[in-house]
Amino acid sequence: MFVSDCLGVNGAGHLTIGGCDTLDLAAQYGTPLYVVDETQLRQNCRAYVRSLAHFYGGNGLALFASKAFCCKEVIRIMAQEGMGLEVCSGGELVTALSVGFPVERIYFHGNNKTPAELEMAVRHDVGHVVADNLEELRRLDAEAVRQGKRVKILLRVKPGIDAHTHNFIRTGQIDSKFGFALETGEAMAAAKAAAASANLELCGVHCHIGSQIFDVSPFELAAEVMFGFMAQIKAECGVELRELDLGGGFGVQYDQSDTPRPYAEYMEAVAKTLAAKAEEHGLAIPFILLEPGRSIPASAGITLYTVGAVKEIPGVRRYVLTDGGMNDNPRYILYGAHYTVLNAGRAGEEAGETYTIAGRCCETGDLIQEYTKVQPTQTGDVLAVLATGAYNYSMSLNYNRIPRPPVVMVREGEARVIIKAETFEDICRNDM
Ligand SMILES: *Cc1c(COP(=O)(O)O)cnc(C)c1O
C-alpha cells in the first residue's frame, strides 16, 4: 500500500512519517506542510554510494541533481553522505557554497549558463563545468583566460537514446536543446576545440537520457555509445578521457503502477558493459558519475493538506478542496503526474471513495489528482500526498500571492523546521 519505508500507520490509525504522527505535525506546524524524513533521505543516498563502492571499487561519484530539492539542510546532508552535487544555476550554486559544500564535488550544468554564472563558476573553482554548446565553450575559455585559471570540463552529448518510463527509443538525431549531437559531428568538433584549449581541461563526457526510467537497458546502451565516443576522441584528438557521466533519471514509485528497480541493478549492468567495452577499445575503465535527482528525496517526502470542503456535483464528480494545490505541487497541472493520496487520520482503512483533489488557485487545472481512491473524507480532515519530496518544493510558485508552505524534517519521532513558511511580508518584499 505504501510507497516508502518511512511511512506507517499507528495504533490510532493515523499515518506516520519518520515516527511522527502526521495529524500532530499538521496541528503543530499548520497546513499545507511539506514533511521530509531524514533517515529515508540518507538511505536513498547510501544506495548509490554503496553500489558504486561495490561494483566500481569506489571509482565513481553519485551527484545529487539539486534541482529536485535544493535548500541548505538538504545540501548539508548530501555533503555528509559523501555525495557530489549537480547545480544548474547561480541560485543552486550559491545555496551549495553557503553551506560550504566541497567545490571539487560540484558539477555546473545548464544549456545557457549566463556570463555571470560562468564567471562565478570559475571564480569559485567549481569542480567541473559541463559544457553544452560551442558558444559556451568559447565564453568559458575566455573567462578562464581572464581569471588565469584552468577549468575542468565535461561535454554534454546527445547519445541518440531517448528513454521514457517503460520504453526507450534509439533515434538518429534527437531533437533537444541540451548538448552536442554525436551524429552530426558536432560533439567531435567540441572535443577538438576543448582539447586544443590551454585553459580548459577536457576530463570526460556526459549524457542524460531521460527521467523516471524503470529499465536497465537504456543505461547499458548509453554507456556503450558514450564509451565508444571516448575511444573515438582518443583516436582523433590523442586524449584519453577519464570520466564518464551517465546522468540521472532513475525511476521512483509514486503509486502502485510504478515498479522501480533497486539502484544497484543499474550499477551492476553498467559496470559489466564498461568492462567489456574497455577491453574492446583498449581503454581503462573510466571514473563513473551518476546524477540521481528525484530518486534521492522523492520517497522521503509527503505533503499534508487540510480539507476545507467536499463539493459534490451530482452525476459529475466529487471535489475535495484543500488548502494547497498547484502552488506547492505544480506537477499534476504541468504533466499529469500521478500520486497516492491518503486520508491521514484514516490511513489504515480501505481507500474506497473516489475523489478529485483540488487546490485553491484561480485555475480550473489546479488539481493534485483526479478520480483517485481515498478513504472517506470530510471537512477538517488532513490529506497526505505521498512521494512529494522531489520537484515539489523546488517547483513551487507564488501564483495568487500564496506564500510557500514550510518544510519540516523528521527523524525518529523528532521534527524540526528546515525551511520557514513564507509570510505576506515576504510576498511583498520586492515591491516598490
Ligand atoms: C534533471 C537532471 C537530472 C536528474 O534527473 P532525475 O530524473 O530527477 O533523476 C540529472 N542530470 C541532469 C543533467 C538533469 O537535467
Side-chain angles (χ1 to χ4, degrees), residues 65 67 86 109 156 206 208 211 248-250 291-294 391:
K67 69 175 191 265
E86 191 244 278
H109 268 279
R156 178 162 186 166
H206 162 277
H208 175 67
S211 261
F250 308 98
E291 301 176 334
R294 86 183 62 229
Y391 302 116

Side-chain angles (χ1 to χ4, degrees), residues 29 166 191 220 275 311 313 428 430:
Y29 298 101
H166 288 292
E220 290 175 307
K311 184 176 282 187
I313 309 173
C428 301
N430 296 327

